[in-house]
């Protein structure tokens, strides 16, 4: 079996894999990073979104071997070393952008990618960007509110749902 080497959450990572091993499997099974969820196995739900060299990627659509030499960030790598939440994570917590939490890692990773590309998105832009992430609990309202809050925008006039 070939070996793959990458940087995961700022630390060197490697492991022996089969050629068909998906990045999500490598992260969960080889690295023990179970925050990256497998929801559908068909790239429809977005629960497995991670950042590969700064770009949001559905980890169930990428072979681990394709990440050779890349920098991968998972939801576990978003918080500071002292446990301080990333701005997006803190906004999700503050604005109740989660319920069961299953979609949350993918939502957080997608939202962070959006804000890196567009620091002050409109509500429509947030909704459009998160289209590939499915949440069956929240109705998206508070997720959108959390993303807008994470961008530094005033969300005090948006009613909680």
């Amino acid at each position: 079996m070939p070996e793959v080497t990458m940087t995961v959450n700022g630390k060197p990572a490697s492991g022996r894999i089969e050629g068909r091993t998906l990045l999500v499997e490598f992260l969960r099974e080889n690295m023990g990073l179970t925050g990256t969820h497998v929801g559908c196995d068909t790239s429809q739900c977005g629960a497995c979104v991670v950042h590969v060299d700064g770009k949001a990627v559905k980890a169930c659509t990428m072979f681990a071997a394709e990440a050779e030499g890349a920098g991968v960030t998972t939801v576990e790598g978003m918080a500071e070393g002292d446990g301080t939440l990333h701005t997006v994570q803190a906004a999700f917590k503050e604005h109740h952008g989660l319920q069961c939490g299953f979609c949350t890692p993918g939502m957080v990773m997608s939202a962070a990618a959006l804000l890196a590309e567009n620091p002050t998105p409109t509500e429509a832009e947030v909704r459009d960007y998160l289209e590939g992430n499915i949440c069956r609990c929240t109705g998206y309202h508070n997720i959108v509110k959390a993303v807008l809050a994470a961008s530094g925008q005033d969300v005090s006039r948006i009613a909680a749902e």
Side-chain angles (χ1 to χ4, degrees):
M1 286 195 288
E3 185 166 346
V4 65
T5 302
M6 63 187 78
T7 303
V8 179
N9 298 331
K11 298 175 186 167
S14 64
R16 297 219 173 271
I17 57 165
E18 293 183 27
R20 64 183 177 176
T21 302
L22 296 172
L23 180 57
V24 70
E25 294 169 333
F26 178 77
L27 294 170
R28 290 180 61 81
E29 296 168 19
N30 292 58
M31 301 303 304
L33 298 171
T34 57
T36 304
H37 292 163
V38 179
C40 67
D41 281 331
T42 60
S43 76
Q44 301 297 310
C45 74
C48 67
V49 173
V50 298
H51 296 174
V52 178
D53 289 336
K55 301 286 185 195
V57 172
K58 290 182 179 179
C60 75
T61 64
M62 182 177 192
F63 291 114
E66 292 178 286
E68 175 67 36
V72 177
T73 304
T74 69
V75 71
E76 291 94 341
M78 295 295 285
E80 298 294 325
D82 66 0
T84 302
L85 296 178
H86 182 276
T87 305
V88 174
Q89 292 171 312
F92 268 65
K93 179 180 175 185
E94 181 180 345
H95 296 282
H96 312 289
L98 56 106
Q99 283 184 17
C100 83
F102 194 81
C103 72
T104 304
M107 289 286 188
V108 166
M109 299 305 289
S110 291
L114 165 62
L115 296 179
E117 292 175 22
N118 181 356
T120 53
T122 64
E123 180 178 342
E125 289 170 329
V126 172
R127 289 183 182 280
D128 183 59
Y129 198 91
L130 296 179
E131 188 176 291
N133 294 73
I134 296 173
C135 176
R136 290 183 165 88
C137 300
T138 67
Y140 301 93
H141 181 77
N142 289 345
I143 291 171
V144 173
K145 185 176 180 180
V147 176
L148 293 171
S151 75
Q153 298 181 58
D154 179 15
V155 295
S156 61
R157 293 189 177 161
I158 299 175
E161 284 188 9

